[in-house]
């Protein structure tokens, strides 16, 4: 009878532990709720472009804030690309613009455009640029793990499928920000 009591107690404890492990495993596997993403952009090829950009959940979309250095003065195409892969020397491993809705290329203000079409950033005479606006098309859950690219030239916001912004001068991967 004592042996039966010991075995029963063991089974009750083991069952409770198993349920806790299952509960913890399920919570670890469920999609986390990220409210801020970040990408550090680094030079592609022989450029000297560096910087960072954050994507933060906002009331009416996603707040995009960034600062960059090492650019040629003027406008530079700024896009989210399909892959978070910056391994190619020319940045092409990041693929094309992220476009889950299969829209035409356009401006950030266009109702229908690639989700990755973030327009242009303008570098001053010192090669520095900043960006700070709310985008109503970008969603955090869809851009996590994708690439962010800065181009050598200006995005004309019309040419298909890329905006004719030229080569890639900086690349970064969009990841979860530490809070």
């Amino acid at each position: 009878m004592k042996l039966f009591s010991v075995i029963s107690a063991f089974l009750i404890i083991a069952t409770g532990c198993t349920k806790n492990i299952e509960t913890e495993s399920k919570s670890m596997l469920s999609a986390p709720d990220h409210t801020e993403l970040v990408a550090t952009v680094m030079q592609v090829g022989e450029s000297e472009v560096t910087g960072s950009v954050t994507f933060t959940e906002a009331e009416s979309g996603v707040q995009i804030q960034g600062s960059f250095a090492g650019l040629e003065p003027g406008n530079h195409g700024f896009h989210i690309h399909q892959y978070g892969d910056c391994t190619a020397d020319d940045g092409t491993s990041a693929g094309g613009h992220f476009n889950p809705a299969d829209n035409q290329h356009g401006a950030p203000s266009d109702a229908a455009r690639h989700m990755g079409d973030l327009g242009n950033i303008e570098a001053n005479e010192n090669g520095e640029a900043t960006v700070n606006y709310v985008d109503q098309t970008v969603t955090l859950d869809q851009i996590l793990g994708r690439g962010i690219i800065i181009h050598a030239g200006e995005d004309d916001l019309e040419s298909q499928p890329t905006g004719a912004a030229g080569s890639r001068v900086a690349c970064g991967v969009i990841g979860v920000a530490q809070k």
Side-chain angles (χ1 to χ4, degrees):
M1 199 59 147
K2 245 182 178 184
L3 182 57
F4 178 74
S5 296
V6 170
I7 291 172
S8 295
F10 175 77
L11 288 175
I12 290 170
I13 292 169
T15 302
C17 290
T18 302
K19 286 184 180 179
N20 284 342
I21 291 170
E22 287 175 6
T23 302
E24 286 181 28
S25 295
K26 286 179 184 175
S27 69
M28 288 172 41
L29 293 175
S30 64
D33 184 23
H34 303 297
T35 57
E36 184 172 291
L37 304 179
V38 64
T40 299
V41 296
M42 302 175 82
Q43 65 190 50
V44 169
E46 295 183 18
S47 86
E48 296 181 11
V49 179
T50 60
S52 65
V53 59
T54 59
F55 301 87
T56 309
E57 206 169 274
E59 188 175 312
S60 59
V62 171
Q63 181 81 35
I64 300 172
Q65 295 177 292
S67 60
F68 311 96
L71 291 158
E72 293 293 322
N75 285 330
H76 298 270
F78 180 57
H79 307 112
I80 297 168
H81 281 244
Q82 187 172 2
Y83 305 113
D85 182 352
C86 297
T87 57
D89 290 341
D90 61 358
T92 57
S93 53
H97 296 180
F98 180 53
N99 185 16
D102 198 29
N103 289 327
Q104 293 289 305
H105 176 71
S109 58
D110 291 345
R113 63 167 169 96
H114 302 158
M115 184 179 293
D117 291 343
L118 304 182
N120 290 293
I121 55 174
E122 185 175 1
N124 63 22
E125 64 277 354
N126 297 320
E128 299 167 342
T130 60
V131 62
N132 187 359
Y133 72 98
V134 174
D135 190 294
Q136 296 178 343
T137 301
V138 171
T139 61
L140 295 181
D141 63 327
Q142 289 190 297
I143 66 169
L144 178 61
R146 305 213 179 268
I148 189 86
I149 295 286
I150 298 174
H151 291 270
E154 181 175 4
D155 184 333
D156 67 13
L157 309 175
E158 294 177 2
S159 298
Q160 300 302 321
T162 64
S167 62
R168 301 163 188 210
V169 296
C171 183
V173 178
I174 302 168
V176 177
Q178 180 178 346
K179 289 193 157 207

